[in-house]
Amino acid sequence: MTAANRFPGKLNLRTGKVDMSHGSGGRASAQLIEQLFVKHLDNPLLAQGNDGTVFPSPGEQLVMSTDSHVISPLFFPGGNIGSLAVHGTVNDLAMSGARPLYLSAGFILEEGFPLADLNTIVASMAQAATAAGVQIITGDTKVVEKGKGDGVFINTAGVGVVDSRRQISGERAQAGDVVIVSGSMGDHGVAIMSSRENLEFETTIESDSAALNGLIADMLATEADIHCLRDPTRGGLATTLNELAQQSGVGIKLKEQAIPIKPAVHAACELLGLDPLYVANEGKLICICPAKQAQQLLAVMRQHPLGSDAAIIGEVIEDPHHFVQMETAFGGNRIVDWLAGEQLPRIC
Amino acid sequence: MTAANRFPGKLNLRTGKVDMSHGSGGRASAQLIEQLFVKHLDNPLLAQGNDGTVFPSPGEQLVMSTDSHVISPLFFPGGNIGSLAVHGTVNDLAMSGARPLYLSAGFILEEGFPLADLNTIVASMAQAATAAGVQIITGDTKVVEKGKGDGVFINTAGVGVVDSRRQISGERAQAGDVVIVSGSMGDHGVAIMSSRENLEFETTIESDSAALNGLIADMLATEADIHCLRDPTRGGLATTLNELAQQSGVGIKLKEQAIPIKPAVHAACELLGLDPLYVANEGKLICICPAKQAQQLLAVMRQHPLGSDAAIIGEVIEDPHHFVQMETAFGGNRIVDWLAGEQLPRIC
């Protein structure tokens, strides 16, 4: 008996919808797994078909991370929840200096969600995983009644391997270090917000959603002593720098004019009443390193397509208050505080 | 500056509610993490405080698994979504013969969810993790608007280590093997359903939700050649045995009278119109092993509190159709098919 005649019904990927039986663990669940998930994600590890997937340990020191994705809308300029769910966890792993290798994927589907959209989302996950050099090796699907979810939520967890001599951590920033960003700030959040509000600008603002492990591999290859790497997602550059300042017990001084922000993102932020420093990014990183190695790192980053606009935006200073402050374009000075309250919900 | 005066507001764990700012990545998110999640889950690995958590590889061969939990109601006799989320992934890992070690936890909270309930749930997770000997080493929290979720969904993913000489897999059942279950079938699903329908029975039926890694460790210590281990969760015993028969290319023959089912569960199933063979379990396992090692394994299982009602319920036979069939209490024979459609939604 083959899989084909074991589940004689074919999923209708054009007009079909998710129903409660797809989460039952029975025949309909198996059909959804075989005809949609496995179709896109197939690899020898996933094909083990057990509740847990066995794989050889990739090294002596490993990294694990997880991220749930609840973005609204599910499809946006520059990506969708599927590609975002892969990039999110790949990046969280890479920020430890790890090589991301294996992902799990957990789907929470709302009854009535179009199978055609799910098919597109899973195809994007597969594509993003291949591009990032990771494999989705285990998964889970649940279905909730209509009105108890929001289309689809995706959790990804991941495992990577890191050279045990590396010590990249949020607590390693020290006075005299410089702060580098890999490119323009705010693109992802503004793309989502524009798409949510149906705003049309002269040029479409695309999310920067991307896997940063390739860029980081190039940076690690320089043998520079990178102290911190972190991706400024929810809460944006401002909140992430405050986290790092707090964790390392230092202050950070930024130069407003040095922070790369696209004119279209600036304009959209003014219209939407947002501060681009607090807007989420999904394909950018912050790197903190000794000043004397900054130029070398910057040159390497600019060689990579995801780092072509990399810039030094500030320096780490001693500050018992652990403030992030910024020299404004007009020569003034202001405190750049943590995000308080919410600026943009459901952004990732 | 200490954490205490960095976030001067204290979470109100008596009457407070989740609001959108708890998912923003800013100050309120940090407050929720420090005052609720870290309070219960604290351990040296989680305390690294980076996006990914670094840990030494526990061995040469690893196992990864994931499970999202969307159970309704969130609290039920014998547990809640927090303990269940730990048991679910611990068990999925253990079914490969692995020693579960590290979990990630991803929360999707609905705006307005009581912080007191979240506090209880996270405390249960911490307790379940400690009891099972695993650590929650990384996490993520998202918040969705009221009406876009259902209180709380929890994804856990996990990593364990498995002896590379072990080959426990759903494809290893072979004719002549016997089928053992570790205890009574249907307790979890009936507990959830009774609680959902507000049914009162003479004795409260409790979920069997439990971590099975301790029982499995005792079984592995016998050095018996265990071919398959699987926990009969969604879809129950019937569906799980069909999966195993399919994966191994064999048939399975059960004896109805040998299958342990509590009288109260039987009675509740009759009332609810359910077949206990299709009802979910969350603290039971199916073991398939060579007949000559079954008695030894059974004796060891019965020594463990979670295996005291273990029983041999059938045998593996040759069958080109890969059917699961059952000799009924009256001496008849029936096919025990895959679950078709849905019997019990939102059960785990």
Side-chain angles (χ1 to χ4, degrees):
Chain A
M1 207 184 265
T2 65
N5 59 18
R6 172 170 145 229
F7 306 111
K10 265 195 72 170
L11 276 186
N12 181 341
L13 294 180
R14 280 184 55 243
T15 60
K17 292 186 188 305
V18 170
D19 66 46
M20 295 305 293
S21 72
H22 289 121
S24 68
R27 212 180 272 278
S29 300
Q31 187 189 35
L32 183 69
I33 291 168
E34 291 189 9
Q35 294 178 28
L36 198 153
F37 290 110
V38 171
K39 183 183 77 176
H40 292 297
L41 303 174
D42 199 21
N43 64 60
L45 291 172
L46 189 64
Q48 288 175 19
N50 293 313
D51 286 339
T53 298
V54 178
F55 61 96
S57 175
E60 285 177 19
Q61 189 156 279
L62 309 181
V63 181
M64 184 176 193
S65 188
T66 191
D67 217 341
S68 292
H69 299 270
V70 300
I71 194 163
S72 172
L74 297 169
F75 296 88
F76 49 83
N80 64 48
I81 191 172
S83 50
L84 184 71
V86 170
H87 296 154
T89 293
V90 163
N91 290 347
D92 281 349
L93 293 169
M95 296 304 145
S96 305
R99 188 156 57 91
L101 290 167
Y102 303 115
L103 300 187
S104 64
F107 293 83
I108 299 176
L109 307 175
E110 186 186 8
E111 184 184 15
F113 188 68
L115 289 173
D117 286 349
L118 185 61
N119 194 49
T120 305
I121 288 166
V122 177
S124 295
M125 287 188 84
Q127 210 169 4
T130 303
V134 298
Q135 287 180 298
I136 295 171
I137 64 169
T138 187
D140 177 62
T141 305
K142 294 290 177 351
V143 180
V144 296
E145 298 87 352
K146 199 161 179 61
K148 301 290 185 185
D150 195 17
V152 54
F153 300 143
I154 305 177
N155 174 284
T156 47
V159 170
V161 61
V162 60
D163 183 329
S164 50
R165 289 163 305 177
R166 288 276 168 206
Q167 285 197 304
I168 297 174
S169 171
E171 66 200 8
R172 286 196 67 217
Q174 56 189 65
D177 285 355
V178 301
V179 180
I180 304 175
V181 292
S182 63
S184 62
M185 291 290 108
D187 302 10
H188 175 73
V190 166
I192 300 307
M193 208 59 189
S194 309
S195 153
R196 202 182 284 170
E197 305 288 335
N198 269 315
L199 296 180
E200 302 246 345
F201 298 101
E202 263 177 55
T203 50
T204 303
I205 298 166
E206 292 216 337
S207 164
D208 58 354
S209 180
L212 293 165
N213 52 333
L215 171 60
I216 291 174
D218 288 356
M219 293 165 67
L220 295 175
T222 63
E223 299 289 339
D225 181 22
I226 297 171
H227 290 166
C228 315
L229 287 175
R230 193 158 293 177
D231 50 346
T233 55
R234 285 186 292 181
L237 178 69
T239 303
T240 308
L241 288 177
N242 271 284
E243 277 174 33
L244 292 170
Q246 183 72 37
Q247 219 178 325
S248 290
V250 296
I252 291 176
K253 191 157 187 186
L254 303 175
K255 268 194 199 310
E256 184 171 26
Q257 283 191 302
I259 301 172
I261 298 171
K262 290 177 181 157
V265 169
H266 241 314
C269 280
E270 291 214 347
L271 190 70
L272 293 162
L274 300 173
D275 181 338
L277 299 188
Y278 292 88
V279 175
N281 309 279
E282 291 290 345
K284 299 291 156 50
L285 63 83
I286 298 167
C287 168
I288 297 182
C289 70
K292 65 178 188 298
Q293 299 177 324
Q295 289 302 334
Q296 180 201 5
L297 266 177
L298 200 62
V300 166
M301 291 173 75
R302 287 181 173 161
Q303 293 293 315
H304 193 283
L306 294 176
S308 53
D309 296 325
I312 295 175
I313 62 165
E315 56 180 334
V316 179
I317 58 175
E318 286 186 28
D319 178 356
H321 301 295
H322 315 153
F323 285 150
V324 177
Q325 47 183 304
M326 182 165 74
E327 189 187 311
T328 66
F330 304 106
N333 204 48
R334 74 169 173 103
I335 297 292
V336 179
D337 200 4
W338 291 72
L339 174 64
E342 42 145 340
Q343 194 182 32
L344 290 173
R346 308 285 302 280
I347 207 79
C348 58
Chain B
M1 208 186 264
T2 67
N5 60 19
R6 176 169 141 226
F7 305 112
K10 264 195 75 169
L11 276 186
N12 181 341
L13 294 179
R14 282 185 54 244
T15 59
K17 291 186 189 305
V18 169
D19 66 46
M20 296 304 294
S21 72
H22 291 120
S24 67
R27 213 179 272 276
S29 300
Q31 188 188 34
L32 183 71
I33 291 168
E34 291 189 7
Q35 295 179 27
L36 199 154
F37 290 109
V38 171
K39 181 183 77 177
H40 293 297
L41 303 174
D42 199 21
N43 64 59
L45 290 172
L46 188 64
Q48 289 176 18
N50 292 313
D51 287 339
T53 298
V54 178
F55 60 97
S57 175
E60 284 177 19
Q61 191 156 276
L62 308 181
V63 181
M64 185 177 192
S65 189
T66 191
D67 217 342
S68 292
H69 299 271
V70 300
I71 194 164
S72 172
L74 296 170
F75 296 88
F76 49 83
N80 63 48
I81 190 172
S83 49
L84 183 72
V86 170
H87 296 154
T89 293
V90 163
N91 290 348
D92 282 348
L93 293 169
M95 296 304 146
S96 305
R99 188 157 56 90
L101 290 168
Y102 303 114
L103 299 188
S104 64
F107 294 83
I108 299 175
L109 308 175
E110 185 186 9
E111 185 185 15
F113 188 69
L115 289 174
D117 287 350
L118 184 61
N119 193 49
T120 305
I121 288 167
V122 177
S124 296
M125 288 188 84
Q127 210 169 6
T130 302
V134 298
Q135 287 179 298
I136 296 170
I137 63 168
T138 186
D140 177 63
T141 306
K142 294 288 177 353
V143 180
V144 296
E145 297 86 353
K146 198 159 181 64
K148 300 292 184 184
D150 196 16
V152 54
F153 300 143
I154 304 177
N155 174 283
T156 47
V159 170
V161 62
V162 61
D163 184 331
S164 50
R165 291 162 305 179
R166 289 274 168 207
Q167 285 197 303
I168 297 174
S169 171
E171 66 199 8
R172 286 196 66 214
Q174 56 189 64
D177 284 355
V178 301
V179 180
I180 304 175
V181 293
S182 62
S184 62
M185 292 288 110
D187 302 10
H188 176 73
V190 167
I192 300 306
M193 207 60 187
S194 308
S195 153
R196 204 183 285 171
E197 305 288 336
N198 269 317
L199 294 180
E200 301 247 345
F201 299 102
E202 266 177 54
T203 50
T204 303
I205 298 167
E206 292 216 338
S207 165
D208 58 353
S209 180
L212 294 165
N213 52 333
L215 171 61
I216 291 174
D218 289 357
M219 294 166 68
L220 295 176
T222 64
E223 298 288 338
D225 182 21
I226 297 171
H227 290 166
C228 315
L229 288 175
R230 194 160 293 180
D231 50 345
T233 55
R234 282 186 293 181
L237 179 68
T239 303
T240 308
L241 287 176
N242 270 285
E243 276 173 32
L244 292 169
Q246 182 72 36
Q247 219 178 324
S248 289
V250 297
I252 290 175
K253 192 159 187 186
L254 302 175
K255 270 194 198 308
E256 184 170 24
Q257 283 190 302
I259 301 172
I261 297 172
K262 291 177 180 156
V265 169
H266 241 314
C269 279
E270 291 213 347
L271 189 73
L272 293 163
L274 301 173
D275 181 338
L277 299 188
Y278 292 88
V279 175
N281 309 279
E282 291 291 344
K284 300 290 157 50
L285 63 82
I286 299 167
C287 167
I288 298 183
C289 69
K292 65 176 190 301
Q293 301 177 322
Q295 290 302 336
Q296 181 201 4
L297 265 178
L298 200 60
V300 166
M301 290 172 75
R302 286 179 174 161
Q303 293 294 315
H304 193 282
L306 295 176
S308 53
D309 296 325
I312 294 176
I313 61 165
E315 57 180 335
V316 179
I317 58 175
E318 285 185 29
D319 178 354
H321 301 293
H322 315 152
F323 285 151
V324 177
Q325 48 184 303
M326 183 166 75
E327 188 186 311
T328 67
F330 305 106
N333 206 48
R334 73 166 172 104
I335 297 291
V336 179
D337 200 3
W338 290 73
L339 173 63
E342 43 144 341
Q343 194 182 31
L344 290 174
R346 309 285 303 277
I347 207 78
C348 58

